[in-house]
Amino acid sequence: MTTAKREIEAAIEVFVHGYSAGKSQTFPYDASRVGPLWLMRDAVRKNPRDCRSEEWVVHDVAAQEADAIVRQHARPSHAISVVIANDEPDRPVRTAYKALGYRLLRTEGFFVQPLSQIPKPPAVVSIERVQTVERAAQLGKIMRRRPIAEDLLGDGAPFRQYVAVDGDDIVGRVRSVDAVGATWCADMYVEPSHRRRGVGQALMSKMLRDDRAHGSRCSVLAATHAGALLYPRMGYKRIGTLLIFWPKRRMPL
């Protein structure tokens, strides 16, 4: 196995466990292996129709083999994320999955930060970790989600939530989720009124330094095109691309 392949497979393991842990805040979302593939899906529900979309993660497995496994085990609503290395052409992958009845939803860059060097840009607003019930309630209201539970605000929590605060307003946020000795970076967002001012970089710097202090070996994330412009400035290197496919027809229950 090449070094690049080992790096991608290790990063995928961080991704599936970190992503699943994040989605488990509302209902258990499990990560498991099904043959050579990773599967992320809701735990068993009383009503199967309540299940959220599941995601299969494929790396270095032929499209026909992956599709056969998915068709045997998948629930009706699912996506397939195929991870390819930087030097691997994506056209054959696109063509193969299209022929199998999938359409490409989007592509995302796949990044790793080894935490050996972390930039420290100046903070133009206050950057803090969410550790009070009041701040958690404020963030929950903004995101239209249930606030972070009080027992998940301490150092022993499986994730750390950070916010950028300007006056009384939360203007940015990012979350770091512990996963298999590393961390998964999720939900990075800066309000349009505060973009291009270094807020995102300041948030990331605080998060990454805390990751390292808590013993993480690296930080992993997936980024849209816009995010892919920010993360290299913060020491992330792109190791591959996620091609996210959706079946053109839902499978029956």
Side-chain angles (χ1 to χ4, degrees):
M1 184 185 297
T2 66
T3 300
K5 180 175 172 60
R6 282 196 298 269
E7 184 177 39
I8 288 179
E9 292 195 346
I12 289 173
E13 187 172 10
V14 176
F15 161 42
V16 297
H17 285 287
Y19 182 84
S20 297
K23 293 202 72 168
S24 293
Q25 297 306 307
T26 53
F27 186 83
Y29 200 77
D30 300 330
S32 62
R33 293 282 281 189
V34 181
L37 312 185
W38 280 101
L39 167 62
M40 300 181 287
R41 64 162 42 151
D42 273 346
V44 176
R45 288 180 179 264
K46 291 182 179 179
N47 184 351
R49 295 184 182 277
D50 292 337
C51 288
R52 294 169 291 183
S53 176
E54 66 185 34
E55 187 165 349
W56 293 78
V57 184
V58 180
H59 173 59
D60 202 25
V61 177
Q64 292 81 359
E65 180 183 354
D67 177 62
I69 295 171
V70 171
R71 289 182 182 276
Q72 182 179 358
H73 299 280
R75 293 169 180 166
S77 180
H78 67 274
I80 296 180
S81 290
V82 182
V83 184
I84 62 172
N86 286 334
D87 58 353
E88 185 178 349
D90 66 356
R91 185 171 294 278
V93 176
R94 292 170 182 252
T95 300
Y97 278 90
K98 182 178 180 180
L100 291 167
Y102 294 87
R103 60 186 176 90
L104 182 66
L105 287 182
R106 64 184 184 277
T107 62
E108 297 181 353
F110 199 42
F111 291 81
V112 173
Q113 217 287 17
L115 303 180
S116 55
Q117 293 185 337
I118 302 171
K120 192 174 182 179
V124 296
V125 295
S126 176
I127 306 297
E128 64 181 63
R129 182 180 167 191
V130 176
Q131 292 188 289
T132 68
V133 172
E134 293 76 17
R135 189 66 85 192
Q138 182 185 9
L139 178 63
K141 184 176 181 180
I142 292 171
M143 298 180 68
R144 297 182 180 179
R145 295 180 185 174
R146 184 182 305 168
I148 301 168
E150 186 173 0
D151 62 342
L152 294 176
L153 297 175
D155 282 337
F159 62 85
R160 292 175 292 279
Q161 178 74 54
Y162 300 89
V163 291
V165 182
D166 189 2
D168 295 327
D169 299 325
I170 293 177
V171 298
R173 59 184 182 265
V174 70
R175 176 175 289 192
S176 179
V177 185
D178 293 337
V180 292
T183 45
W184 169 249
C185 174
D187 300 330
M188 174 68 187
Y189 180 79
V190 176
E191 294 289 345
S193 60
H194 283 70
R195 292 174 187 171
R196 301 184 182 276
R197 294 170 53 184
V199 173
Q201 294 180 56
L203 274 167
M204 297 293 293
S205 179
K206 169 64 174 171
M207 180 199 75
L208 291 171
R209 290 176 186 279
D210 279 6
D211 285 351
R212 186 167 63 185
H214 282 79
S216 174
R217 70 177 186 274
C218 67
S219 173
V220 179
L221 60 81
T224 61
H225 177 71
L229 301 178
L230 164 66
Y231 299 121
R233 302 175 193 166
M234 299 309 301
Y236 283 88
K237 68 171 183 176
R238 185 166 183 159
I239 62 171
T241 301
L242 275 70
L243 290 88
I244 304 171
F245 295 94
W246 191 264
K248 293 179 181 179
R249 295 183 180 179
R250 285 173 58 92
M251 293 183 181
L253 283 170

